[in-house]
Amino acid sequence: MRFAFPVEERSAAGRAAMESTVEELMPCLLPVEDCDIPEDFDPTVPPRTPQEYLKRVQIEAAKCPDVVVAQIDPRKLKKKQTVNISLSGCLPAPEGYSPTLRWQQQQVSHFSAVRQSVNKHRDHWKSQHLDSNVTMPKSDDEEGWKKFCLGEKLYLNTGVQVSNDENQGIDYVQGRWLYALLACLEKPLLPEAHSLIRQLARRCSEVRVLEENKNENRVSALNLLICLVGRYFDQYDLADEPS
């Protein structure tokens, strides 16, 4: 024999079953009596007792829908595509130019001493003024920073035109500023700094492979930067295998 229930009764029974399931999945941790919303209820008035606070939570929870559907705009998803990031390590050093493990350990030890000295005198140098012949570029002056970091001679050799009346400044020694920046880089690394030094090590390995005459000083400088990134800043997957 089959019994037919009115739609409203079946709907009420369904809601009751759902509430029972929710109670099983999320059991009540504190004994709170069912509350009826009073006519003079003011949600802006802070609760005065723990019981009033729990009742307020009940009231706010009752206003939440059972099912929430996220409104997703597919046009926004098309603009944020997945970015492929290369996780490859450094290119191996040319034959005969791979640094020994002892050499790498010595460089890391010396670099650590330099960083300790920098940290010791950091506050002192912050209070000092730059020499009158040193002009710091503005933060958004890309060409100015290239000239400042690479040195005047190397900057001019890149083919960038500089007006004759422009102050030539001082000739900064090529390459040392990278070492100095690493010495001032504080640990733990920020995500952006972490990514940048890894890019630096990879780029150094690429330049090292393309070095035609295998200039010893230049190769040693590239080895040094790769060594510091790999062994001091704990990016061991980028470090050179000892020869």
Side-chain angles (χ1 to χ4, degrees):
M1 181 179 295
R2 297 181 179 179
F3 297 92
F5 293 95
V7 175
E8 293 183 358
E9 291 184 8
R10 285 185 293 176
S11 177
R15 286 197 300 268
M18 180 178 295
E19 292 175 358
S20 175
T21 304
V22 171
E23 290 179 357
E24 292 178 0
L25 295 175
M26 302 177 61
C28 182
L29 299 180
L30 297 175
V32 182
E33 298 179 357
D34 294 335
C35 64
D36 296 327
I37 300 177
E39 296 180 358
D40 58 346
F41 172 72
D42 186 357
T44 63
V45 177
R48 294 167 295 181
T49 65
Q51 289 76 16
E52 288 186 1
Y53 171 77
L54 294 175
K55 287 183 178 181
R56 184 180 297 270
V57 173
Q58 274 190 329
I59 294 172
E60 293 177 354
K63 295 179 180 178
C64 297
D66 294 333
V67 178
V68 179
V69 179
Q71 301 297 328
I72 299 176
D73 186 355
R75 294 173 298 180
K76 294 182 178 180
L77 296 178
K78 294 181 180 179
K79 298 179 180 179
K80 298 181 179 180
Q81 299 295 329
T82 302
V83 178
N84 295 322
I85 301 176
S86 175
L87 299 178
S88 60
C90 289
L91 297 176
E95 185 177 356
Y97 290 91
S98 180
T100 64
L101 180 59
R102 179 176 177 79
W103 182 88
Q104 295 184 63
Q105 291 172 340
Q106 290 175 342
Q107 303 311 315
V108 169
S109 177
H110 178 71
F111 182 69
S112 178
V114 171
R115 284 176 59 88
Q116 290 178 10
S117 178
V118 169
N119 291 331
K120 181 179 178 181
H121 299 91
R122 188 185 297 271
D123 294 335
H124 168 74
W125 288 112
K126 281 183 179 179
S127 63
Q128 303 301 310
H129 296 286
L130 294 174
D131 295 338
S132 58
N133 63 337
V134 178
T135 303
M136 296 288 289
K138 295 182 179 180
S139 59
D140 57 350
D141 184 4
E142 182 177 350
E143 298 301 327
W145 279 107
K146 289 179 181 178
K147 182 170 62 176
F148 183 86
C149 297
L150 298 177
E152 196 70 34
K153 294 179 181 178
L154 182 63
Y155 176 78
L156 292 175
N157 290 335
T158 60
V160 180
Q161 299 295 326
V162 181
S163 59
N164 294 329
D165 58 347
E166 186 174 348
N167 183 17
Q168 297 296 309
I170 59 178
D171 189 13
Y172 298 95
V173 179
Q174 172 191 353
R176 294 184 181 177
W177 65 275
L178 281 171
Y179 187 93
L181 286 176
L182 291 177
C184 296
L185 194 59
E186 297 183 2
K187 297 174 70 174
L189 298 178
L190 296 174
E192 183 180 7
H194 178 273
S195 174
L196 288 174
I197 66 171
R198 290 182 62 86
Q199 292 180 41
L200 172 64
R202 292 193 187 100
R203 181 55 181 161
C204 286
S205 72
E206 295 170 359
V207 174
R208 182 175 59 183
V209 170
L210 297 175
E211 182 67 25
E212 295 180 357
N213 299 325
K214 297 298 181 287
N215 181 284
E216 185 175 349
N217 291 332
R218 183 170 295 182
V219 172
S220 294
L222 296 170
N223 287 345
L224 175 60
L225 294 176
I226 296 172
C227 168
L228 297 180
V229 172
R231 299 196 178 275
Y232 184 85
F233 291 101
D234 305 324
Q235 309 302 307
Y236 294 107
D237 61 308
L238 302 180
D240 283 317
E241 292 295 333
S243 59

